[in-house]
Amino acid sequence: RWGIKSTGINLYLPSVELARERAKANNLPAKFIHGDFRDYEKQHEAVVFFEILEHLPEPDKAIQKAFSLVKPGGRLYISTPRAGDSIGVINHLSDTSRKPWSADDKPAGHLRLFTTEEMKELIKDYTVTEFYVDTDKSFCIEIMKGGKK
């Protein structure tokens, strides 16, 4: 709608297919790739990790790779549920159509939920321009590509 071209990458083919259908139905200039972002090399002005970091086994390496995909002067945006009181996580629990939580108190498919201290430690070497908790109690982070601190 705003003429912004975008590229989405997802390992889960049904999500890619749904995104393609929605983009086409709304006449959006977006393309979606079924694959692993770690194999992607093209740089963009903005890279968005929306509710993904908590699913990855090595979040530090994932942030490093995502940051490598940001053009100089661009931004990396991260959103991830916060441990303890995320409304998104609470909503996940109340949705009976979803898989149950694991024995170690994480939503199905989540490898971790981050505390504020853990998240700050994870991004401490980057130029963070925004760091806050949204109304769903998830972290919202903006990192500027001007190099590491």
Side-chain angles (χ1 to χ4, degrees):
R1 294 180 189 169
W2 298 303
I4 299 170
K5 294 179 182 176
S6 62
T7 301
I9 304 169
N10 198 312
L11 285 171
Y12 189 56
L13 184 58
S15 292
V16 172
E17 291 169 344
L18 178 62
R20 286 175 179 159
E21 288 171 18
R22 288 180 177 173
K24 184 177 180 181
N26 290 287
N27 198 28
L28 299 175
K31 76 175 187 177
F32 298 94
I33 299 168
H34 176 230
D36 190 328
F37 85 97
R38 294 173 295 186
D39 298 328
Y40 192 75
E41 295 298 326
K42 185 177 178 187
Q43 287 191 320
H44 295 270
E45 293 173 16
V47 173
V48 179
F49 259 29
F50 183 75
E51 308 299 316
I52 247 344
L53 205 55
E54 65 275 14
H55 299 277
L56 302 176
E58 298 176 301
D60 54 336
K61 289 182 182 176
I63 291 172
Q64 185 177 35
K65 173 59 180 181
F67 195 67
S68 79
L69 301 175
V70 178
K71 289 181 179 180
R75 304 285 193 273
L76 169 61
Y77 297 94
I78 300 170
S79 172
T80 188
R82 186 172 66 161
D85 64 350
S86 172
I87 291 172
V89 171
I90 293 166
N91 289 341
H92 183 100
L93 276 175
S94 65
D95 184 349
T96 57
S97 69
R98 293 183 183 243
K99 292 181 181 179
W101 277 32
S102 63
D104 57 350
D105 204 31
K106 293 186 293 277
H110 289 62
L111 298 179
R112 68 184 41 81
L113 297 174
F114 301 95
T115 65
T116 299
E117 295 75 24
E118 290 168 333
M119 184 54 63
K120 286 183 176 181
E121 179 65 23
L122 199 57
I123 61 173
K124 72 178 186 218
D125 294 330
Y126 297 91
T127 304
V128 177
T129 53
E130 292 283 340
F131 184 98
Y132 64 93
V133 177
D134 70 5
T135 56
D136 283 340
K137 308 268 176 129
S138 289
F139 292 113
C140 295
I141 302 162
E142 178 185 67
I143 299 172
M144 185 178 84
K145 179 83 173 234
K148 288 190 171 189
K149 284 185 179 177

